[in-house]
Amino acid sequence: MKVITSKTQYTITNEYGHEVRLDVRAIDNVNRAYNVEVQRQKYGSGVRRARFNGAMLDRTLLGKGQNYDNLPDRYTVFITEKDFFEGGLPTYHAEYKIDELNNKSLGDGSYIVYVNGQYRNNESPIGRLMHDFFCSDPEEMLTPILKNRVKYLKQTERGQLEVCDVIERRVKEELEEATREAVEKNKIKTATNLLIVGNITPEQIASCVGLPLETVLKLKTKMA
């Protein structure tokens, strides 16, 4: 596996419901897509959240007019602080199966993987990685590439400046997103008020407020 592109804190908007912010969205060299989440609390690691994240990621993977067969394989990976399924295993893989065909794989290309953050086996790549994930001192890390990177970020002036830059960008993005959310809420509120007035068509409201017509029609149906 070779990662071609990756984006952290990747937000996928949803006009009609819950939005998601993916910890990491990545594409590999054979066009497989990944959402990697690092979860410390068990309530944030539920299988229904993994299902939802995967569905939202799928929305970004197929362009208009493309055939469904072009939808790439997609992996939703949750790295959890505790052993979520309490089976003592390093990983747990899940995919859709066909009951009537002896649990034959459905083959839709969607997979969920849970990585056990409690797993400690230095003979295993996952065991070494999980050990390093929970090390505060880079000198105790076992994976050279991770050890060197953390040492650079924590112990050099240039690395600390990079961390500060990332934090500043993150804060700026958070503020910009909060502003966008406030604008969208105001649009919804204005559209709702205009629908209450009742003498303006949904088409006119959509044009004036700057919302998709479908959104205004859904608001109208919900009010009814």
Side-chain angles (χ1 to χ4, degrees):
M1 171 187 169
K2 182 178 180 181
V3 174
I4 301 300
T5 64
S6 66
K7 171 73 175 177
T8 59
Q9 297 301 310
Y10 183 84
T11 299
I12 303 176
T13 60
N14 183 5
E15 300 175 3
Y16 311 114
H18 193 68
E19 295 183 353
V20 295
R21 173 174 289 170
L22 310 182
D23 283 354
V24 179
R25 177 192 186 274
I27 304 293
D28 73 7
N29 56 318
V30 293
N31 203 38
R32 291 174 297 202
Y34 300 84
N35 162 219
V36 182
E37 298 289 321
V38 180
Q39 295 294 326
R40 304 206 65 174
Q41 301 298 327
K42 188 168 184 177
Y43 68 80
S45 310
V47 292
R48 290 181 184 268
R49 180 179 181 185
R51 167 188 163 187
F52 186 79
N53 277 21
M56 291 293 283
L57 179 57
D58 279 347
R59 293 180 55 197
T60 71
L61 302 176
L62 196 66
K64 288 184 178 180
Q66 282 190 301
N67 190 289
Y68 291 113
D69 291 336
N70 292 327
L71 189 65
D73 288 358
R74 176 261 299 157
Y75 290 80
T76 304
V77 182
F78 273 33
I79 302 173
T80 58
E81 183 177 21
K82 305 296 183 182
D83 184 353
F84 186 82
F85 294 104
E86 300 180 351
L89 301 174
T91 58
Y92 304 91
H93 294 75
E95 61 178 295
Y96 289 114
K97 306 285 186 178
I98 305 173
D99 294 341
E100 291 79 8
L101 296 178
N102 296 319
N103 289 322
K104 178 182 177 182
S105 172
L106 180 62
D108 68 335
S110 65
Y111 307 92
I112 296 174
V113 182
Y114 276 75
V115 181
N116 175 8
Q118 282 185 303
Y119 189 73
R120 297 290 187 275
N121 179 352
N122 291 347
E123 300 302 316
S124 159
I126 290 178
R128 293 195 297 272
L129 183 62
M130 291 304 99
H131 169 274
D132 292 353
F133 257 43
F134 294 94
C135 280
S136 57
D137 184 357
E139 294 297 339
E140 297 176 359
M141 292 182 171
L142 305 174
T143 310
I145 190 171
L146 187 58
K147 177 179 181 177
N148 293 335
R149 182 62 177 166
V150 174
K151 284 180 68 175
Y152 168 75
L153 293 173
K154 281 193 168 189
Q155 298 178 359
T156 69
E157 182 178 353
R158 188 170 179 179
Q160 291 173 0
L161 287 173
E162 283 188 26
V163 172
C164 289
D165 287 342
V166 170
I167 293 173
E168 287 177 3
R169 286 201 305 270
R170 177 75 182 276
V171 170
K172 183 179 178 181
E173 289 171 0
E174 292 276 358
L175 291 172
E176 290 175 349
E177 184 172 335
T179 301
R180 285 196 299 269
E181 289 178 356
V183 169
E184 289 303 310
K185 286 180 180 178
N186 283 332
K187 287 181 179 181
I188 295 292
K189 183 177 181 181
T190 301
T192 301
N193 289 336
L194 291 172
L195 286 168
I196 292 172
V197 172
N199 59 355
I200 307 174
T201 68
E203 290 79 6
Q204 290 172 323
I205 294 174
S207 177
C208 293
V209 177
L211 285 172
L213 177 58
E214 188 177 356
T215 300
V216 177
L217 292 173
K218 283 199 171 189
L219 282 173
K220 184 177 181 180
T221 301
K222 185 177 180 181
M223 290 172 61

